[in-house]
Amino acid sequence: MSIPIVPESALATMTVHLDAIIDNYQTLKSKSSTADCAAVVKANAYGLGMTDIAPALYHDGGCEVFFVANLREAVNLRTALPKVTIYVFNGTTEDQVETILEHNIRPVLNDLNQIDIWRGQPAPCAIHFDTGINRLGLSEDEAELFLNDRPDLNVSLVMSHFIQSEIAGHPSNEMQLDRFIRYRYQLPDAKASLCNSGGIYLGEDYHFDLLRPGIMLYGGNPGLPKRPDGLKHVFELYGKILQIRHLRPGMAVGYNSLWTAAEEARIALVNVGYADGTFKTSDKCAKVFVGGHVANVIGKVSMDMIAIDITDDKFSHITVKDDVELLGANITLEMAAEVSTLGQYELLTGIGQRYNKKYIRGA
Ligand SMILES: *Cc1c(COP(=O)(O)O)cnc(C)c1O
């Protein structure tokens, strides 16, 4: 079924710069002289669109290994990219084996039960050792049983995941590295992978054979104290102004009258709300960028709109024709996270599905 086109003026827009994502991939890859670089494209490439971004990373970036969270994501990616290596973090259950094999997906086996299910398969798999995060992965006891038992498996990758790799001085990083090295040397034929985005900046000792960045491909900072050199912003969200209104002193805006005009005021209603993900009612002082200046979001965020204050003279030229930047080069993820209860990961993956999406190559 083809979807009828509507005029662009009806929709807020998400513009994704594929070249900037590829540049970030190359920047991350260049941090290691030994390791290859994969791409983590789970959660629809952190909300930005897996089936557009992963092919660009493969064809123009040379990325050949991808990680997703679940089998639905893996099968969707396989449809877009028939040749690449796809690992699925959540591993497998009995009933997923057939689909995994049919689509040539590699499960990341996270416990002895998953290992039992996969035992005897000639198709490759990864083994995830938990080195301290106590989430997925073989616990210390399970790892010992596994390494003594040596079940018949074709292990192509051993991996582990950091607790807080973005905090370079934290002792947990070295502790996890030591544990990982011990496991890694008992399976010397498999490739080894430890680093998410933050881990890459811990240095070569941590890199092993394969890097697994996610958020930094998409221009986000995992929490490093300084935004790394060369990391590019890769997308913009633009809302449309639906209406401009003049308020007399004492008039209040939106549900529950949370903002009241102290003086004569001019406000604009913009066509994005909490259903579009980037704003939360609890957020104080969320900002947008319009007509060359930062403006404040005022009142309660509605499902389909926000109000912004454009009273100041510097906004006098603004009309309903102006686009309003919600996130992008002027309202960065860093800035948005600062005034939000949400972090950069949550802001990114929370971007709603209602935007008109445009994928751009070239500057
Ligand atoms: C999400 C995830 C990554 C990527 O992490 P970023 O911090 O986004 O780079 C890597 N490895 C595992 C196991 C993950 O779950």
Side-chain angles (χ1 to χ4, degrees), residues 45-216:
Y46 289 44
L48 299 182
M50 177 182 73
T51 54
D52 287 275
I53 290 169
L57 280 165
Y58 171 64
H59 292 293
D60 300 336
C63 177
E64 295 185 342
V65 182
F66 293 85
F67 288 88
V68 294
N70 69 38
L71 191 53
R72 161 61 63 214
E73 296 172 343
V75 170
N76 285 351
L77 182 57
R78 176 56 76 215
T79 309
L81 290 174
K83 294 217 177 91
V84 300
T85 298
I86 302 173
Y87 286 100
V88 60
F89 283 138
N90 291 357
T92 190
T93 52
E94 306 265 8
D95 57 336
Q96 293 178 51
V97 172
E98 196 183 322
T99 311
I100 290 177
L101 291 172
E102 183 191 341
H103 295 279
N104 187 21
I105 312 286
R106 299 185 185 186
V108 175
L109 304 177
N110 292 301
D111 57 38
L112 292 179
N113 185 45
Q114 294 195 349
I115 285 170
D116 267 345
I117 292 170
W118 202 255
R119 195 188 275 266
Q121 282 292 350
C125 62
I127 302 289
H128 185 173
F129 291 102
D130 170 32
T131 51
I133 195 171
N134 293 317
R135 234 175 45 166
L136 296 182
L138 300 181
S139 67
E140 246 180 300
D141 292 348
E142 285 188 307
E144 202 180 307
L145 287 169
F146 167 75
L147 291 167
N148 288 333
D149 177 35
R150 295 290 169 141
D152 174 23
L153 290 171
N154 174 7
V155 181
S156 56
L157 186 76
V158 294
M159 58 167 273
S160 191
H161 193 49
F162 282 114
I163 305 168
Q164 49 223 340
S165 59
E166 73 282 4
I167 306 174
H170 202 287
S172 64
N173 295 322
E174 245 181 271
M175 181 269 287
Q176 289 191 276
L177 176 65
D178 289 347
R179 288 187 182 173
F180 187 63
I181 288 172
R182 270 195 279 125
Y183 295 134
R184 191 269 163 288
Y185 280 121
Q186 301 204 49
L187 292 161
D189 297 336
K191 301 257 189 227
S193 176
L194 181 58
C195 285
N196 57 354
S197 295
I200 293 170
Y201 286 79
L202 293 174
E204 299 259 14
D205 288 351
Y206 289 79
H207 289 165
F208 297 92
D209 304 310
L210 187 66
L211 310 173
R212 301 192 311 273
I215 192 150
M216 289 183 73

Side-chain angles (χ1 to χ4, degrees), residues 20 53 118 135 185 228 231 235 240 296 310 322 329 339 353:
I53 290 169
W118 202 255
R135 234 175 45 166
Y185 280 121
L231 184 66
F235 73 101
K240 299 261 185 247
N296 288 326
I310 53 167
D322 285 283
V339 296
Q353 296 306 306

